[in-house]
Short mmCIF file of all heavy atoms in Angstrom, two decimals:
data_model
loop_
_atom_site.label_atom_id
_atom_site.label_comp_id
_atom_site.label_asym_id
_atom_site.label_seq_id
_atom_site.Cartn_x
_atom_site.Cartn_y
_atom_site.Cartn_z
N HIS A 74 13.64 10.52 -7.53
CA HIS A 74 15.07 10.76 -7.12
C HIS A 74 15.95 9.54 -7.52
O HIS A 74 17.01 9.74 -8.02
CB HIS A 74 15.16 10.99 -5.60
CG HIS A 74 14.61 12.34 -5.22
ND1 HIS A 74 14.88 13.48 -5.89
CD2 HIS A 74 13.89 12.75 -4.06
CE1 HIS A 74 14.21 14.53 -5.27
NE2 HIS A 74 13.74 14.01 -4.21
N TYR A 75 15.44 8.39 -7.22
CA TYR A 75 16.32 7.23 -7.50
C TYR A 75 16.09 6.47 -8.82
O TYR A 75 17.08 5.87 -9.25
CB TYR A 75 16.06 6.09 -6.40
CG TYR A 75 16.45 6.59 -4.98
CD1 TYR A 75 15.55 7.02 -4.03
CD2 TYR A 75 17.75 6.59 -4.62
CE1 TYR A 75 15.83 7.40 -2.78
CE2 TYR A 75 18.15 7.04 -3.39
CZ TYR A 75 17.21 7.50 -2.45
OH TYR A 75 17.60 7.92 -1.25
N HIS A 76 15.00 6.68 -9.43
CA HIS A 76 14.74 6.02 -10.70
C HIS A 76 14.38 6.97 -11.82
O HIS A 76 14.04 6.50 -12.94
CB HIS A 76 13.66 4.97 -10.50
CG HIS A 76 13.99 3.89 -9.59
ND1 HIS A 76 14.86 2.87 -9.84
CD2 HIS A 76 13.55 3.72 -8.34
CE1 HIS A 76 15.00 2.13 -8.73
NE2 HIS A 76 14.15 2.58 -7.85
N GLY A 77 14.34 8.25 -11.53
CA GLY A 77 13.96 9.26 -12.47
C GLY A 77 15.04 10.24 -12.75
O GLY A 77 16.23 9.93 -12.65
N GLU A 78 14.61 11.35 -13.27
CA GLU A 78 15.53 12.42 -13.70
C GLU A 78 15.79 13.50 -12.68
O GLU A 78 16.32 14.55 -13.05
CB GLU A 78 15.09 13.00 -15.06
CG GLU A 78 15.17 12.05 -16.20
CD GLU A 78 14.15 10.85 -16.19
OE1 GLU A 78 13.00 11.04 -15.80
OE2 GLU A 78 14.55 9.72 -16.48
N LYS A 79 15.25 13.39 -11.48
CA LYS A 79 15.30 14.53 -10.57
C LYS A 79 16.19 14.08 -9.34
O LYS A 79 15.63 13.62 -8.37
CB LYS A 79 13.90 14.96 -10.14
CG LYS A 79 13.91 16.16 -9.31
CD LYS A 79 12.55 16.57 -8.92
CE LYS A 79 12.64 17.90 -8.07
NZ LYS A 79 11.35 18.20 -7.45
N PRO A 80 17.46 14.32 -9.34
CA PRO A 80 18.29 14.02 -8.26
C PRO A 80 18.02 14.85 -7.00
O PRO A 80 17.42 15.97 -7.16
CB PRO A 80 19.71 14.30 -8.67
CG PRO A 80 19.64 15.23 -9.89
CD PRO A 80 18.24 14.96 -10.37
N LYS A 81 18.24 14.35 -5.81
CA LYS A 81 18.06 14.98 -4.59
C LYS A 81 18.90 16.30 -4.46
O LYS A 81 19.97 16.28 -4.97
CB LYS A 81 18.29 14.14 -3.38
CG LYS A 81 17.18 13.22 -3.08
CD LYS A 81 17.42 12.56 -1.66
CE LYS A 81 16.34 11.65 -1.34
NZ LYS A 81 15.10 12.33 -0.80
N LYS A 82 18.32 17.30 -3.83
CA LYS A 82 19.18 18.54 -3.53
C LYS A 82 20.00 18.11 -2.34
O LYS A 82 19.68 17.20 -1.49
CB LYS A 82 18.26 19.66 -3.13
CG LYS A 82 17.38 20.09 -4.27
CD LYS A 82 16.48 21.23 -3.79
CE LYS A 82 15.38 21.58 -4.83
NZ LYS A 82 14.35 22.46 -4.26
N GLN A 83 21.19 18.78 -2.11
CA GLN A 83 21.97 18.50 -0.95
C GLN A 83 21.23 18.62 0.36
O GLN A 83 21.49 17.93 1.34
CB GLN A 83 23.25 19.53 -0.99
CG GLN A 83 24.13 19.24 -2.16
CD GLN A 83 25.09 18.08 -1.96
OE1 GLN A 83 25.24 17.64 -0.78
NE2 GLN A 83 25.53 17.37 -3.01
N SER A 84 20.32 19.64 0.43
CA SER A 84 19.61 19.96 1.66
C SER A 84 18.48 19.01 1.93
O SER A 84 17.92 19.01 2.98
CB SER A 84 19.05 21.35 1.62
OG SER A 84 18.12 21.43 0.47
N GLU A 85 18.09 18.18 0.99
CA GLU A 85 16.91 17.21 1.21
C GLU A 85 17.28 16.03 2.13
O GLU A 85 18.39 15.40 1.98
CB GLU A 85 16.44 16.73 -0.11
CG GLU A 85 15.62 17.82 -0.77
CD GLU A 85 14.92 17.17 -2.08
OE1 GLU A 85 15.60 17.10 -3.08
OE2 GLU A 85 13.73 16.85 -2.02
N LYS A 86 16.37 15.63 2.99
CA LYS A 86 16.58 14.53 3.91
C LYS A 86 16.64 13.27 3.13
O LYS A 86 15.84 13.05 2.16
CB LYS A 86 15.38 14.48 4.85
CG LYS A 86 15.44 13.34 5.85
CD LYS A 86 14.30 13.30 6.78
CE LYS A 86 14.26 12.05 7.67
NZ LYS A 86 12.99 11.77 8.26
N GLU A 87 17.46 12.34 3.49
CA GLU A 87 17.53 11.02 2.86
C GLU A 87 16.39 10.13 3.43
O GLU A 87 16.34 9.82 4.62
CB GLU A 87 18.92 10.37 3.19
CG GLU A 87 19.16 9.10 2.42
CD GLU A 87 19.43 9.36 0.90
OE1 GLU A 87 19.89 10.46 0.54
OE2 GLU A 87 19.15 8.41 0.17
N ARG A 88 15.52 9.79 2.57
CA ARG A 88 14.42 8.90 2.84
C ARG A 88 14.48 7.73 1.91
O ARG A 88 14.92 7.89 0.87
CB ARG A 88 13.05 9.61 2.83
CG ARG A 88 13.04 10.79 3.85
CD ARG A 88 11.67 11.30 4.05
NE ARG A 88 10.85 10.32 4.75
CZ ARG A 88 9.84 10.60 5.42
NH1 ARG A 88 9.46 11.80 5.52
NH2 ARG A 88 9.04 9.80 5.96
N THR A 89 13.83 6.63 2.27
CA THR A 89 13.88 5.49 1.33
C THR A 89 12.53 5.20 0.78
O THR A 89 11.52 5.59 1.27
CB THR A 89 14.35 4.22 2.01
OG1 THR A 89 13.42 3.91 3.13
CG2 THR A 89 15.74 4.45 2.72
N ILE A 90 12.56 4.64 -0.42
CA ILE A 90 11.32 4.10 -1.09
C ILE A 90 10.56 3.16 -0.02
O ILE A 90 9.36 3.27 0.07
CB ILE A 90 11.63 3.55 -2.41
CG1 ILE A 90 12.16 4.55 -3.35
CG2 ILE A 90 10.33 2.73 -2.97
CD1 ILE A 90 12.60 4.01 -4.63
N GLU A 91 11.27 2.31 0.56
CA GLU A 91 10.69 1.42 1.58
C GLU A 91 9.98 2.16 2.66
O GLU A 91 8.79 1.86 3.06
CB GLU A 91 11.74 0.47 2.11
CG GLU A 91 11.22 -0.53 3.13
CD GLU A 91 12.33 -1.46 3.77
OE1 GLU A 91 13.47 -1.05 3.71
OE2 GLU A 91 11.95 -2.50 4.18
N GLU A 92 10.64 3.17 3.16
CA GLU A 92 9.98 3.98 4.33
C GLU A 92 8.71 4.66 3.83
O GLU A 92 7.65 4.62 4.52
CB GLU A 92 11.01 4.96 4.80
CG GLU A 92 10.50 5.95 5.92
CD GLU A 92 11.55 6.88 6.40
OE1 GLU A 92 12.67 6.86 5.98
OE2 GLU A 92 11.14 7.84 7.16
N GLU A 93 8.78 5.24 2.59
CA GLU A 93 7.62 5.91 2.03
C GLU A 93 6.50 4.91 1.77
O GLU A 93 5.28 5.17 1.98
CB GLU A 93 7.96 6.73 0.86
CG GLU A 93 8.87 7.91 1.10
CD GLU A 93 8.46 8.87 2.13
OE1 GLU A 93 7.20 8.94 2.40
OE2 GLU A 93 9.29 9.66 2.64
N THR A 94 6.82 3.73 1.28
CA THR A 94 5.83 2.70 0.98
C THR A 94 5.09 2.26 2.27
O THR A 94 3.93 2.13 2.41
CB THR A 94 6.43 1.51 0.30
OG1 THR A 94 7.04 1.99 -0.93
CG2 THR A 94 5.40 0.44 -0.03
N GLY A 95 5.97 2.13 3.39
CA GLY A 95 5.42 1.81 4.73
C GLY A 95 4.47 2.84 5.18
O GLY A 95 3.42 2.47 5.75
N ASP A 96 4.76 4.13 5.06
CA ASP A 96 3.91 5.23 5.45
C ASP A 96 2.57 5.15 4.62
O ASP A 96 1.50 5.29 5.26
CB ASP A 96 4.55 6.57 5.14
CG ASP A 96 5.73 6.93 6.05
OD1 ASP A 96 5.93 6.27 7.08
OD2 ASP A 96 6.42 7.93 5.79
N LEU A 97 2.64 4.83 3.41
CA LEU A 97 1.43 4.80 2.62
C LEU A 97 0.62 3.57 3.08
O LEU A 97 -0.58 3.70 3.14
CB LEU A 97 1.79 4.72 1.06
CG LEU A 97 0.68 4.57 0.14
CD1 LEU A 97 -0.31 5.84 0.13
CD2 LEU A 97 1.17 4.37 -1.29
N LEU A 98 1.18 2.45 3.34
CA LEU A 98 0.54 1.30 3.81
C LEU A 98 -0.19 1.53 5.19
O LEU A 98 -1.35 1.08 5.30
CB LEU A 98 1.53 0.10 3.93
CG LEU A 98 0.96 -1.17 4.46
CD1 LEU A 98 -0.19 -1.73 3.49
CD2 LEU A 98 2.03 -2.24 4.64
N PHE A 99 0.54 2.22 6.04
CA PHE A 99 -0.11 2.56 7.30
C PHE A 99 -1.39 3.34 7.13
O PHE A 99 -2.36 3.06 7.82
CB PHE A 99 0.87 3.27 8.26
CG PHE A 99 0.31 3.66 9.53
CD1 PHE A 99 0.26 2.86 10.54
CD2 PHE A 99 -0.17 5.05 9.75
CE1 PHE A 99 -0.29 3.15 11.78
CE2 PHE A 99 -0.72 5.33 10.96
CZ PHE A 99 -0.74 4.44 11.96
N VAL A 100 -1.34 4.33 6.32
CA VAL A 100 -2.55 5.21 6.15
C VAL A 100 -3.62 4.40 5.47
O VAL A 100 -4.81 4.63 5.77
CB VAL A 100 -2.17 6.50 5.39
CG1 VAL A 100 -3.41 7.36 5.16
CG2 VAL A 100 -1.19 7.33 6.12
N LEU A 101 -3.19 3.55 4.46
CA LEU A 101 -4.21 2.77 3.77
C LEU A 101 -4.89 1.78 4.81
O LEU A 101 -6.15 1.56 4.77
CB LEU A 101 -3.55 1.90 2.70
CG LEU A 101 -4.49 0.96 1.83
CD1 LEU A 101 -5.60 1.81 1.22
CD2 LEU A 101 -3.75 0.18 0.86
N ILE A 102 -4.18 1.25 5.74
CA ILE A 102 -4.74 0.33 6.70
C ILE A 102 -5.69 1.20 7.65
O ILE A 102 -6.70 0.71 7.95
CB ILE A 102 -3.61 -0.41 7.55
CG1 ILE A 102 -2.96 -1.41 6.59
CG2 ILE A 102 -4.22 -1.04 8.78
CD1 ILE A 102 -1.67 -2.04 7.29
N CYS A 103 -5.26 2.39 8.04
CA CYS A 103 -6.18 3.20 8.86
C CYS A 103 -7.41 3.47 8.13
O CYS A 103 -8.55 3.35 8.68
CB CYS A 103 -5.47 4.51 9.12
SG CYS A 103 -4.15 4.45 10.33
N PHE A 104 -7.35 3.81 6.79
CA PHE A 104 -8.49 4.12 5.95
C PHE A 104 -9.43 2.88 5.99
O PHE A 104 -10.63 3.00 6.24
CB PHE A 104 -8.01 4.52 4.59
CG PHE A 104 -9.12 4.80 3.63
CD1 PHE A 104 -9.77 6.13 3.62
CD2 PHE A 104 -9.58 3.90 2.69
CE1 PHE A 104 -10.69 6.37 2.80
CE2 PHE A 104 -10.57 4.26 1.80
CZ PHE A 104 -11.13 5.48 1.82
N ALA A 105 -8.90 1.68 5.75
CA ALA A 105 -9.68 0.53 5.62
C ALA A 105 -10.33 0.14 7.00
O ALA A 105 -11.51 -0.08 7.10
CB ALA A 105 -8.82 -0.66 5.24
N ASN A 106 -9.56 0.35 8.04
CA ASN A 106 -10.02 -0.03 9.39
C ASN A 106 -11.28 0.97 9.75
O ASN A 106 -12.22 0.56 10.23
CB ASN A 106 -8.92 0.20 10.45
CG ASN A 106 -8.01 -1.06 10.51
OD1 ASN A 106 -8.24 -1.92 9.84
ND2 ASN A 106 -7.03 -0.88 11.31
N SER A 107 -11.08 2.25 9.36
CA SER A 107 -12.12 3.19 9.75
C SER A 107 -13.42 2.95 9.06
O SER A 107 -14.49 3.35 9.49
CB SER A 107 -11.70 4.60 9.44
OG SER A 107 -11.67 4.90 8.12
#
Side-chain angles (χ1 to χ4, degrees):
H74 289 317
Y75 293 104
H76 300 285
E78 289 71 42
K79 188 177 180 190
K81 279 190 178 285
K82 297 175 189 169
Q83 292 284 337
S84 60
E85 285 186 278
K86 180 184 174 196
E87 189 68 28
R88 298 192 69 155
T89 65
I90 292 171
E91 181 179 22
E92 182 180 350
E93 296 301 345
T94 301
D96 289 348
L97 183 59
L98 179 60
F99 178 81
V100 179
L101 179 62
I102 291 172
C103 286
F104 182 80
N106 284 356
S107 75

